[in-house]
Structure formats: structure tokens, C-alpha cells
Amino acid sequence: MNKSFQFRTPKNLIIGDGTISQLESLAITLPTPIAVITGARKDRHNLLWASLSKLEQDLIPLINKGEPTIDELIKLIKFTRKKGCKSVIAMGGGSVIDMGKAISALLVNTQHPNNYLEIIGKSLPLDYPAVPMIAIPTTAGTGAEATRNSVISIPNKKVKVSLRHSSMIPETVIIDPTLTLSTPRNVTTASGLDALTQLIEAFCSNRAHPLTDALCRSGLNNFSLALENTLEDGNNLKARSHLAHAALMSGIALTNVGLGSVHGFAGPLGGRLKKSHGEICATLLPIAIETNIRALQKRDTSQNIINKYNEAASLVLSNPKAKSDDLCIWIRNILSQMCVPKLHDLGFRESDMITTIKQAQKSSSMKSNPVELTETELKNLLEQEPNR
């Protein structure tokens, strides 16, 4: 083993069909009152409220309205502090869990949130550890249930940034694939491709190590079959379970070794364009792979990372002869099949280019890209996207 590393993961991982039934016994150990945050679709949370019925008097219900914004976060923090909340339960997609993690951090850290945010703020560490939290994902994609950051949108600056601290990793995570069965087809695609992006970027990160490599290999294995089977039949629980596993593996891996250029761009682009994080990541992924490989061929005499891109392709496509080019073709076919719009169709313009690149270069994700990309290479990456 050539380098030292740390490994962070949730303390309690509860995984399997029907594991939502264990929520009550877990929730009674939390300090009260408990802030319980969900998405707006009440029909998706019946099992949650049924599991918590005996704790009703200790619960403070919250609704998350889309991707977290700084204004909504401040509003919810003021409300939950006023109610005296001492722990958090979050059930929903990545946005709900991100908001839950941000609340768990800021309940006890009382400086203005901007002081803790990267890029637009001071990136200060939290003064105190986040309060205890249980995370229950209902989509399979972001891996937010296992990460130490929360993505916050700053509309007036047209950017998304992270609030980040190791204590923000939820203490307990329930991965129950049955909760993902009602996920709409377009959300399944976007979230699934987000998980794929995270697995590939973590696998090829300049900080990757044997433990994260093992997790990424596990998540990448047969990924294409799982996604295609889920898109063909949304009630295919075996395929849904595989995607939930891949998402969890991606979350644990990225929180330990970081990501890459795709996620470096995802924050700035997500702040400018009204499109899901997963679709932005997916549309950039094949071009980013190709850009990184060209840069590695020019500047790195080692074939190690290029070999890892090829290995990722063979795992995803269940074909030992597959190469990175084959993987890029498969991703582009999925994007075309699902009519995922290109960046320029969403309103991205040449005039946005330089500002977007400057913001991306400041992101933590760009620092773990397998090769440092020049401004020209980053510009070419964005310019090639319409031709994907």
C-alpha cells in the first residue's frame, strides 16, 4: 500500500427490502424534538409517518421545495431552532437529504451559512458537529445519504455550492429499494446516471485508494443492465436494488476521494440552468472522459488511469473487451433515448463560458480530477457538449 488514507462512512447502514420497518426502533433513540423533512408528494411518505406514529408529539414536520436554496435553508433553520429541534430525519431524493444534512449542521452552528460555504463563502469548518440524523433515500442516484456535504443553490450568484463537514455524514442510513419503485422514469434515468458519474469519477480520482476502488467496482458491475431493466420495467425490484446499491457505493466513495471535472462544472451549470443535477452530469460525462484521456495521453506516461476508464467500461457494460469509447457510446445512446436536453438547449451561452470555468476551477471536485485540465481544455469540454 503506497499511501495513507482515511475512510468515512455512516455509522449504521441498514440495507434491504422492507427495512423501513426498522425506523421506529431507530427513531426512538434520537434526541427530541426531531425535525422530519420530506418532499412535497405526501403519498410517497405514508410508510414514514406510519413508522413514526408513536413519536408524533416529538416530531416537527418540514417540507422541502425542490433543490435547496440559501433562502429556504435560512428559513427552515430559523423555524427548527425556534422549535428546539435536536435531531433530523430526512426521507426523499437527494435534494431532501441535502436539506436535512444542512439543517443538521446549522441547528448548532450559528454563524451565517455563507461563512461555511465553499466558493462564494469563507469555507470555514463547522464550529460544532452536526446533530444526529437518519437518512432514507427514495431515489437511487446522488448517494447523498452517505456524503459529508450538502449542495446549496445561490440564485443571485447563479451557482450551486457545498456546505461540507465530516460530521454531516448521517449517523444512520436506511436503504430500502422498495421505496424507489414509484420513482418516475425520467428521475430514474437522471439519478441513475448521476450515480454512474460519481462511480467513474471516484474510481479515476487522483485520491482513489483500494477501499474506494472496491466500492466503485461493486457499484459499476452490471450497471447498464440494471438501468436498462429498470427503465423497461419500473417495478423490477432486483434492478432497483442494484441501482440503490450503486448509488450508496458512489456516495461512500466520493465522500472519501472526491470526484472530478463533471462535478466541478455541475455546481456552476446547475446554478445557471433549470435542469436536474443528474442530467447535467450525464450530458457532460462522455466528453469529460474523452477530455481526461486525451490530457493523460499528453502529460502522463502512466497508463494506470486510462486502464481504469477501460475497466469501468467493461464493468458497466458486462463486457471484458469493452473500452472507454464503448462506454461513451452507451451513455450517449441513453441520453438520446431519454431525450435529455443539451446545455445550449437549456440556455447555456458562449457568454457564460469564462465565468462558468472560473467557478468550476474553484470547486473541490476539480481538485480530484485525475489530471489537471487547462482552461483551454475545460473550454473545449464545454464547447464539444452540443456535439455529444
Side-chain angles (χ1 to χ4, degrees), residues 108-377:
V108 289
N109 291 278
T110 55
Q111 294 188 50
H112 191 279
N114 281 357
N115 287 344
Y116 304 114
L117 295 175
E118 66 178 21
I119 300 179
I120 61 105
K122 297 180 180 179
S123 297
L124 295 178
L126 298 182
D127 302 301
Y128 305 99
V131 303
M133 176 176 166
I134 298 174
I136 311 161
T138 59
T139 61
T142 67
E145 65 273 10
T147 64
R148 60 191 179 103
N149 71 299
S150 175
V151 179
I152 308 297
S153 178
I154 316 295
N156 66 328
K157 295 187 180 293
K158 297 183 178 180
V159 69
K160 292 179 184 177
V161 300
S162 281
L163 171 65
R164 191 185 309 274
H165 194 266
S166 59
S167 70
M168 289 173 60
I169 300 174
E171 284 195 357
T172 298
V173 175
I174 297 175
I175 304 289
D176 185 344
T178 64
L179 300 176
T180 70
L181 288 173
S182 60
T183 307
R185 198 163 182 262
N186 64 319
V187 176
T188 296
T189 303
S191 57
L193 291 175
D194 187 20
L196 176 63
T197 305
Q198 291 171 173
L199 287 165
I200 292 173
E201 290 202 307
F203 190 48
C204 297
S205 163
N206 59 30
R207 294 163 48 200
H209 55 68
L211 278 179
T212 56
D213 281 355
L215 293 173
C216 291
R217 287 186 177 105
S218 179
L220 290 167
N221 192 37
N222 297 318
F223 183 92
S224 65
L225 186 63
L227 182 60
E228 289 167 359
N229 285 346
T230 304
L231 294 178
E232 184 178 322
D233 176 10
N235 290 315
N236 186 326
L237 185 56
K238 183 177 179 180
R240 291 279 188 189
S241 297
H242 191 91
L243 289 181
H245 170 82
L248 176 63
M249 297 300 100
S250 79
I252 297 173
L254 78 86
T255 207
N256 284 283
V257 299
L259 291 164
S261 56
V262 173
H263 278 82
F265 275 122
L269 289 171
R272 291 179 178 277
L273 310 175
K274 301 299 182 183
K275 202 60 186 171
S276 76
H277 170 80
E279 290 188 348
I280 289 173
C281 287
T283 197
L284 289 176
L285 179 57
I287 305 156
I289 291 172
E290 293 162 350
T291 300
N292 282 336
I293 288 176
R294 283 195 298 269
L296 287 163
Q297 289 170 335
K298 289 179 182 177
R299 300 196 284 279
D300 188 355
T301 57
S302 168
Q303 280 284 115
N304 179 49
I305 300 299
I306 295 175
N307 290 341
K308 289 182 86 170
Y309 278 121
N310 290 331
E311 183 183 356
S314 69
L315 290 168
V316 170
L317 302 177
S318 306
N319 177 0
K321 296 182 179 180
K323 303 296 182 184
S324 61
D325 289 347
D326 301 305
L327 176 59
C328 292
I329 290 169
W330 179 79
I331 296 168
R332 289 181 169 113
N333 286 339
I334 291 289
L335 294 172
S336 176
Q337 175 188 333
M338 296 303 297
C339 300
V340 175
K342 299 173 184 178
L343 298 182
H344 75 282
D345 294 331
L346 297 172
F348 184 72
R349 297 292 177 260
E350 177 71 25
S351 57
D352 299 325
M353 187 78 69
I354 298 302
T355 300
T356 300
I357 290 171
K358 295 295 185 186
Q359 290 174 330
Q361 287 175 317
K362 295 179 182 178
S363 74
S364 59
S365 291
M366 200 66 80
K367 294 177 176 61
S368 47
N369 198 58
V371 59
E372 185 176 353
L373 299 175
T374 66
E375 188 167 313
T376 298
E377 287 168 332

